[in-house]
Amino acid sequence: KQEVTQIPAALSVPEGENLVLNCSFTDSAIYNLQWFRQDPGKGLTSLLLIQSSQREQTSGRLNASLDKSSGRSTLYIAASQPGDSATYLCAVTQAGTALIFGKGTTLSVSS
Amino acid sequence: SQTIHQWPATLVQPVGSPLSLECTVEGTSNPNLYWYRQAAGRGLQLLFYSVGIGQISSEVPQNLSASRPQDRQFILSSKKLLLSDSGFYLCAWAGTFNNSPLHFGNGTRLTVT
């Protein structure tokens, strides 16, 4: 059974710092991996989707990488801002099931 | 463009009362539809998903049920709520191909008292 783990559970950084969020999964037979952002009390917003054949995806200050063979993905945030404060979740898609989510990393960026 | 609507935003219901949460999608046809629950301190739990009208798959046995009466409408129901049903319920949709991203509604905060 697929399990998705995100470490750390919480992270606090000063504004301007570059940071990396980690996601690992136990079964490498995935179609894709998706990173989401969730603000308190809100739904999830899709940030990046990496297909299983891809190594990375970039959107603005965000860069997500995927190493399917080792079951790992990272989300790199450059020059962090207070507005980046949120919970970040990763999720994988496999055959025959909907997305399986990690529990998220709660990021706090202080000004 | 596609949009997803979910209501109500918040709901407070007594134990034993019925529940009906509704979700609709606009701007796409034959989407895959999902209901997730997010409990405090826990991850997102998939409750139901649907690949077509009248086709519902249940991931977790519980006192909740789902229905898809129309192509772009997904309803989550319960006949009698339990305290443990409290949580944040999220509806989502995706296209039918494997690499279609998942798009979420704004969620419903349910408190069972």
Side-chain angles (χ1 to χ4, degrees):
Chain A
K1 181 182 177 182
Q2 178 74 268
E3 292 184 4
V4 180
T5 303
Q6 292 186 248
I7 295 173
L11 181 64
S12 293
V13 301
E15 182 177 6
E17 195 164 291
N18 301 327
L19 60 101
V20 174
L21 306 180
N22 297 295
C23 173
S24 62
F25 47 95
T26 55
D27 185 349
S28 62
I30 64 171
Y31 288 133
N32 60 58
L33 184 144
Q34 205 167 344
W35 282 94
F36 295 87
R37 169 185 172 139
Q38 186 177 27
D39 293 295
K42 301 294 185 181
L44 279 70
T45 300
S46 178
L47 298 174
L48 291 164
L49 182 148
I50 311 177
Q51 298 181 27
S52 61
S53 59
Q54 297 176 322
R55 296 285 293 181
E56 65 178 334
Q57 281 285 337
T58 298
S59 176
R61 294 183 294 108
L62 304 180
N63 176 277
S65 68
L66 175 63
D67 184 343
K68 198 174 75 163
S69 61
S70 67
R72 294 178 182 178
S73 176
T74 62
L75 179 66
Y76 174 83
I77 302 177
S80 58
Q81 303 170 359
D84 295 329
S85 298
T87 296
Y88 292 81
L89 297 101
C90 69
V92 298
T93 303
Q94 288 186 286
T97 186
L99 267 68
I100 301 170
F101 283 83
K103 292 185 178 181
T105 295
T106 299
L107 173 65
S108 177
V109 181
S110 57
S111 57
Chain B
S1 63
Q2 302 91 359
T3 57
I4 179 169
H5 303 280
Q6 187 181 342
W7 67 92
T10 59
L11 191 59
V12 180
Q13 293 282 103
V15 168
S17 64
L19 172 74
S20 181
L21 303 181
E22 189 163 343
C23 172
T24 59
V25 180
E26 296 178 356
T28 188
S29 298
N30 195 32
N32 290 340
L33 297 172
Y34 307 87
W35 279 110
Y36 284 88
R37 178 170 62 197
Q38 190 176 37
R42 300 175 65 179
L44 276 159
Q45 179 186 37
L46 177 65
L47 301 176
F48 301 95
Y49 69 94
S50 171
V51 298
I53 295 175
Q55 301 179 57
I56 308 294
S57 295
S58 174
E59 291 292 306
V60 182
Q62 56 209 331
N63 71 320
L64 299 172
S65 62
S67 62
R68 186 171 177 173
Q70 301 180 42
D71 180 45
R72 291 169 290 175
Q73 183 185 27
F74 206 23
I75 298 172
L76 182 69
S77 304
S78 174
K79 293 182 179 178
K80 290 185 177 181
L81 284 169
L82 307 173
L83 286 174
S84 58
D85 291 324
S86 294
F88 192 47
Y89 289 82
L90 290 155
C91 180
W93 76 272
T96 54
F97 55 97
N98 289 330
N99 283 313
S100 176
L102 195 63
H103 304 278
F104 282 85
N106 286 328
T108 296
R109 174 73 59 190
L110 172 66
T111 303
V112 182
T113 60

